[in-house]
Amino acid sequence: MRAVIQRVSKASVTIAGKTVAKIDEGLLVLLGIEHADTEEDIAWLSKKINNLRIFNDENGVMNQSLIDINGQAIVVSQFTLHANTKKGNRPSYIKAAKPDVAIPLYTTFVKQFEAHLGKPIQTGEFGADMKVALLNDGPVTIIIDTKNKE
């Protein structure tokens, strides 16, 4: 499982001209799921993201988590995070999980993320053509791959 985490002042997801998710201060999480991902990856990653200390404290030091600031979050499925660009110029997405595997893992991730955060989060729509808008705060962008957790 691979995630691109962006600290945002605001973010939104629009599908076919309709805004389906919108937040202020918090995190925009782009989530890529591959065939080899497990429930263990979900548990580890959802806890890790919620506890990342990437928000400023009263001294301007990145020392607070999403939980600490009572922030909001949007999680968007993005299979292109598993693009392989080693050969040629057309990326291969062979490692990205097919929908029958990815959708249940994505749904479970969202539920566990909410459980760690202690409140509902917003999402895009799996497989939809989404327009994602954000104002990256910092900028702060972090990439986490569960295959590199040790």
Side-chain angles (χ1 to χ4, degrees):
M1 205 165 270
R2 192 170 287 158
V4 174
I5 300 120
Q6 297 182 79
R7 184 178 80 179
V8 298
S9 297
K10 62 183 174 179
S12 64
V13 178
T14 303
I15 301 171
K18 180 181 176 205
T19 300
V20 298
K22 185 176 182 181
I23 64 168
D24 292 315
E25 183 180 31
L27 297 177
L28 172 65
V29 179
L30 305 175
L31 183 69
I33 299 168
E34 67 177 60
H35 308 296
D37 289 331
T38 66
E39 300 251 346
E40 181 182 312
D41 292 313
I42 291 169
W44 182 85
L45 185 60
S46 63
K47 184 176 179 182
K48 183 69 150 181
I49 294 170
N50 269 294
N51 290 296
L52 278 177
R53 296 184 335 188
I54 59 173
F55 292 92
N56 294 342
D57 64 15
E58 62 279 353
N59 297 315
V61 176
M62 283 196 282
N63 201 27
Q64 293 191 308
S65 70
L66 185 63
I67 295 167
D68 295 331
I69 67 155
N70 195 29
Q72 301 173 304
I74 298 176
V75 176
V76 175
S77 167
Q78 189 171 352
F79 76 94
T80 60
L81 292 179
H82 288 289
N84 182 330
T85 58
K86 288 184 180 179
K87 291 171 58 177
N89 293 317
R90 184 170 186 212
S92 167
Y93 304 106
I94 197 139
K95 278 186 147 185
K98 303 254 183 289
D100 61 323
V101 171
I103 291 172
L105 290 174
Y106 174 74
T107 302
T108 301
F109 177 86
V110 168
K111 287 178 184 173
Q112 285 204 20
F113 194 96
E114 288 177 332
H116 283 117
L117 186 57
K119 65 180 181 181
I121 62 168
Q122 298 184 51
T123 65
E125 182 181 313
F126 192 94
D129 180 19
M130 296 175 270
K131 307 303 179 208
V132 179
L134 67 134
L135 181 56
N136 192 316
D137 181 18
V140 174
T141 302
I142 300 193
I143 301 169
I144 299 176
D145 191 323
T146 60
K147 304 307 179 251
N148 300 323
K149 65 184 169 211
E150 309 220 356

